[in-house]
Amino acid sequence: MEKKKYYVECEEGASQYDEYDLTNQNIVSACYVKAKVKEDEGNLYIEALPYPREEKDIYRAYSRSFASYSYDSIKKMTKLEKMLQVGMLKEIRFPLPFHSELEFSFYNALLVSYRHRKRCSVYDKNINYMAENKENEMTSVLYGDSSDATNAGFSLIGYSGCGKSSAISTLVSHYPQVIMHDDGDDGYFPQITYLVVNCIANSNFSALYEGIGDAIDKAFGNAQPVYAMEIKKTTGLGNKAEKVRNFIELFGVGIIIFDEIQLIDFEHTKENTFDSLLTLANRTKVAIAVVGTEEARDKMFHELRTARRVGTMINGNRYCENREFFEYLVEQIFKYQWFKEPVEVTDEIIDALYDVTKGIIDQLVSIYSCMNIEAITSRKKIEINAEFIHHVADKYYPGIQDVIGSIGCNEDALELEEIRKNADMRINKLMDEAKQEQGMKKIKENSTAKPSVSLHNVAANIRIIYDDYTDSQIEDAYNKVICKASSNGKNEKEITRMVVETLQKLPKKHVAKNKMPKPDIQHMRSVLELENADDSNS
C-alpha cells in the first residue's frame, strides 16, 4: 500500500529541499510539490523534483565572487600569500548566456523521461540493493514503455574551457541526487535523479558502462564499489548494457550525463556501439545528455538522425564571439588585482586578451592569473599592456595561438589541455620557489631571534636531576614549550619546570647513567618545585 502524498507549498524561487545541503548530502526523503503540467499530476517521480531555477536565481547560482578579497590588504601580504590568493581566481564563476537554456533542457528532459515510464510493484519477492554499503529492500521497479517515442535529452557543445563542466556542476546542485520514496509499508524505494559520468582519456564503451556503475555507487554513498564491480565482472558489451539497463530500471534513473566525450577513443570504438546507447535509452526511457566538442558529438552519433535523438543542442561557446560580452568579463575579473598599482581596463588590454584567449572564459582566467603571478614574481617594474599580455601568453602557454584558432576539433582540444597542464606546472614551480624563499627567510629570522631562556641552560638544569632523557628528547620538549604562548615572559626556572613536565608525559628511553655526585639533587627539585616527582628517576 502506497503512502498518501502530502504536498508542500514553495514560494517563488524556493525548493522543497532548501533545508538540505545538496552538495554534501546525496540522499533525501521525498517531498512533493504539485506538478506544473496537468498530465504529470500524481506522478511521484516528477512531483518529487524541485521546480527549475527562475531567471534571477540562475544568475545568482552561476555567479561566485571572491568575497574576502581587498586590494588594500595586498601590500601587507608576502609574495606567497599573494600567489595563493591569485589561485582563488579559478573558483570565480560568471553567469554565461547558455545557462538558462541548460536549466530548462535538463528539467524538461527529466519530465519527458519520467512521463514515459511506469512503476511496477513486486510484492511476492523483495529486491535487495546497497546504499552506504548496507543492504536494503524495495518492492518496485520503474519500466520504460518502448512503444513510446524515443526519449530526448540534450547535448551541450562547445570549446574546451568555455565553462561546460562547471555549468553542469552548478546545474545538478539544485537537485537531490537520490530521492527516497515511502512505499507505505515501512519501506522505501529510490529515485536516482541524475548520474554524471566523466569520460576518461582513451576510454571505450566498456569503461563508460563501468563509469555508470561507479556513478551509481557514488550516488548511494557506497565507499566500497558494488555496482561498478558488478558491471566490471560482466563479460561482453551486450551483457554489460543489459546490466546497466537493469540498474536504470531498479533505481529510476532520470538522466545520464556523459561529460568530456571528446576523450573517448573513437578510432577503436565501433560506430554501432554508440547506437546501442540510444537503444538503451529507448528501452528504459532514461534521458541521455552529452557534453563535449561538436566534433566529438558528431563522431559519437555518426548519422545526423542519430545525433538528433540526443535532443536539443546547446551551443556553449557562442558567447566567445561577442566582443561586448568579453569586455564585460574582462571588467569583472579586473576587480581582483595583485599588481603593484591598480590597473584600469583599456581597449588595448581587452584586444590583447581577446587575441590570446579567443573569448574562452577558462583561458581568460588562466592568462589573467599568470599576468598577476608574473607581476608578483618579477624583480623589475611591470607595465600591464598588450606587449606584457602576449609575453605572458608565450611564456606560460607556448603554442597557444596555433591551437586556439581551431579549438573546435578533438586533437586541438587535447593539445590545449596539455598546454594548460604545462602552464599549471610552471605556476606550481613558481609557488614552490616562493614557499622556499619564505621558508629561508623565516629560518634566518628564527636563527637570529634568541629566546630569553637558552636550551643549553635548561638542558644543564635537567641533567642535574635526571639522566633518563636523551639530548634530542630534551630539545624536542624545549621546542614545544618555547612555541607556546604560555612560555612568554617565563624565567629559566619556570621554563625548566615546563620542559620537565612535558618530558614526564613521554615514555622514557633508558640511557647509560652518568656516575656523578648528586649532593644537591633534592635542593634542585625544591628550587624547580618538583618535590612530587618520582625519586626513582634520580
Side-chain angles (χ1 to χ4, degrees):
M1 175 184 169
E2 194 172 289
K3 186 177 178 180
K4 186 178 179 181
K5 284 190 310 209
Y6 292 96
Y7 294 105
V8 298
E9 293 285 338
C10 288
E11 63 177 290
E12 186 180 336
S15 161
Q16 67 267 45
Y17 300 107
D18 276 347
E19 64 185 84
Y20 294 98
D21 178 7
L22 297 179
T23 56
N24 293 310
Q25 185 171 350
N26 285 1
I27 304 173
V28 303
S29 297
C31 193
Y32 304 98
V33 291
K34 279 281 188 183
K36 294 276 191 184
V37 179
K38 186 74 175 172
E39 287 77 8
D40 295 332
E41 288 182 4
N43 188 319
L44 290 169
Y45 293 88
I46 289 177
E47 295 189 323
L49 298 173
Y51 297 138
R53 292 179 174 114
E54 300 285 341
E55 195 68 39
K56 65 179 184 302
D57 302 313
I58 292 172
Y59 178 86
R60 291 193 189 96
Y62 288 83
S63 300
R64 188 181 300 169
S65 62
F66 191 175
S68 63
Y69 171 85
S70 169
Y71 187 79
D72 292 338
S73 64
I74 300 298
K75 291 184 179 178
K76 301 174 187 174
M77 291 183 180
T78 65
K79 184 192 294 185
L80 178 60
E81 286 170 338
K82 291 177 186 176
M83 293 172 76
L84 289 171
Q85 269 209 346
V86 171
M88 291 298 295
L89 285 174
K90 289 284 187 182
E91 305 303 317
I92 290 175
R93 297 287 181 269
F94 303 105
L96 298 172
F98 67 87
H99 290 158
S100 294
E101 189 179 1
L102 177 64
E103 287 275 339
F104 173 78
S105 297
F106 180 81
Y107 182 70
N108 188 60
L110 287 174
L111 295 186
V112 175
S113 172
Y114 288 126
R115 269 185 205 135
H116 296 148
R117 298 157 90 171
K118 294 177 182 176
R119 179 174 163 247
C120 298
S121 298
V122 185
Y123 289 111
D124 58 333
K125 174 175 132 177
N126 286 338
I127 302 167
N128 295 325
Y129 70 98
M130 298 291 286
E132 296 178 344
N133 287 114
K134 295 175 186 174
E135 195 169 274
N136 300 271
E137 292 182 347
M138 63 179 179
T139 57
S140 65
V141 178
L142 191 67
Y143 291 116
D145 186 349
S146 57
S147 65
D148 281 337
T150 300
N151 188 27
F154 64 86
S155 54
L156 176 56
I157 302 305
Y159 305 146
S160 177
C162 71
K164 303 183 301 296
S165 295
S166 60
I168 293 295
S169 178
T170 302
L171 167 72
V172 298
S173 69
H174 180 63
Y175 295 83
Q177 188 166 20
V178 180
I179 300 172
M180 301 301 293
H181 299 268
D182 192 331
D183 65 7
D185 289 314
D186 299 322
Y188 294 86
F189 57 92
Q191 169 188 358
I192 296 182
T193 310
Y194 65 87
L195 295 172
V196 179
V197 179
N198 294 298
C199 303
I200 56 177
N202 302 313
S203 56
N204 52 27
F205 248 71
S206 179
L208 283 189
Y209 284 140
E210 288 169 25
I212 293 173
D214 179 63
I216 293 172
D217 279 323
K218 286 184 170 65
F220 277 134
N222 292 327
Q224 295 294 325
V226 176
Y227 300 105
M229 289 305 297
E230 279 200 43
I231 296 171
K232 188 173 185 177
K233 288 187 293 186
T234 304
T235 56
L237 277 182
N239 293 330
K240 287 181 187 287
E242 198 60 24
K243 184 70 75 174
V244 169
R245 180 190 66 80
N246 181 44
F247 293 154
I248 290 170
E249 293 175 342
L250 280 177
F251 306 133
V253 179
I255 188 169
I256 303 175
I257 302 172
F258 293 98
D259 194 13
E260 303 286 7
I261 60 170
Q262 67 272 12
L263 299 180
I264 296 172
D265 180 8
F266 293 103
E267 189 177 340
H268 298 98
T269 303
K270 294 178 181 177
E271 290 179 342
N272 60 5
T273 307
F274 301 108
D275 292 341
S276 68
L277 184 65
L278 294 179
T279 301
L280 179 70
N282 189 42
R283 290 180 64 189
T284 64
K285 293 298 174 254
V286 67
I288 298 292
V290 295
V291 181
T293 64
E294 187 169 3
E295 183 189 27
R297 190 197 69 147
D298 292 344
K299 284 185 178 179
M300 192 170 190
F301 307 106
H302 57 286
E303 295 181 15
L304 184 59
R305 63 176 181 83
T306 311
R308 281 175 177 163
R309 285 166 65 189
V310 183
T312 306
M313 190 187 96
I314 304 168
N315 189 323
N317 57 239
R318 187 162 284 133
Y319 74 88
C320 300
E321 300 163 11
N322 189 305
R323 295 292 287 264
E324 189 177 337
F325 188 73
F326 181 75
E327 183 176 339
Y328 159 79
L329 292 176
V330 172
E331 287 171 349
Q332 293 304 304
I333 202 167
F334 262 76
K335 290 179 180 178
Y336 310 103
Q337 299 185 17
W338 291 264
F339 306 123
K340 288 183 173 64
E341 299 295 335
V343 175
E344 293 291 327
V345 177
T346 64
D347 289 342
E348 180 192 8
I349 287 174
I350 293 169
D351 290 343
L353 282 171
Y354 190 83
D355 192 36
V356 298
T357 67
K358 295 298 181 283
I360 300 170
I361 185 65
D362 184 69
Q363 194 60 24
L364 171 61
V365 172
S366 297
I367 292 287
Y368 184 68
S369 297
C370 292
M371 286 166 59
N372 280 276
I373 293 288
E374 183 72 3
I376 292 166
T377 56
S378 178
R379 288 187 169 88
K380 59 183 181 180
K381 188 177 179 181
I382 295 291
E383 184 180 352
I384 311 302
N385 54 22
E387 183 182 354
F388 173 72
I389 290 168
H390 282 97
H391 162 73
V392 168
D394 291 339
K395 178 177 178 178
Y396 291 86
Y397 294 87
I400 192 74
Q401 294 299 99
D402 297 332
V403 173
I404 212 163
S406 54
I407 191 118
C409 76
N410 270 11
E411 288 182 9
D412 284 336
L414 294 174
E415 190 175 341
L416 178 59
E417 285 301 310
E418 192 63 30
I419 291 172
R420 284 177 180 151
K421 285 179 186 175
N422 291 336
D424 287 341
M425 287 172 63
R426 182 182 284 272
I427 292 170
N428 289 338
K429 182 182 177 184
L430 288 170
M431 289 192 68
D432 186 58
E433 288 173 0
K435 288 176 187 175
Q436 297 278 351
E437 279 182 28
Q438 189 164 314
M440 288 184 279
K441 185 179 178 181
K442 285 183 177 178
I443 288 170
K444 287 193 276 187
E445 287 173 355
N446 290 333
S447 65
T448 55
K450 300 290 184 184
S452 57
V453 178
S454 73
L455 168 63
H456 175 80
N457 291 351
V458 170
N461 293 338
I462 292 171
R463 288 197 199 96
I464 292 173
I465 311 173
Y466 299 107
D467 54 10
D468 283 323
Y469 300 109
T470 65
D471 287 350
S472 61
Q473 282 181 311
I474 293 172
E475 185 167 358
D476 287 344
Y478 168 83
N479 288 335
K480 285 181 182 178
V481 168
I482 290 297
C483 286
K484 293 177 182 176
S486 58
S487 70
N488 293 340
K490 294 286 194 296
N491 59 32
E492 186 177 305
K493 180 183 80 170
E494 291 168 322
I495 294 293
T496 303
R497 184 172 68 250
M498 291 170 73
V499 172
V500 169
E501 287 169 355
T502 302
L503 286 167
Q504 288 177 334
K505 295 174 185 175
L506 302 174
K508 299 182 181 64
K509 293 181 182 178
H510 185 75
V511 295
K513 295 199 174 186
N514 185 14
K515 301 295 183 182
M516 59 179 286
K518 302 179 184 176
D520 57 344
I521 288 178
Q522 197 57 42
H523 172 69
M524 284 296 298
R525 286 174 180 271
S526 176
V527 168
L528 297 175
E529 299 174 10
L530 295 168
E531 289 87 345
N532 297 325
D534 185 1
D535 287 339
S536 64
N537 291 324
S538 58

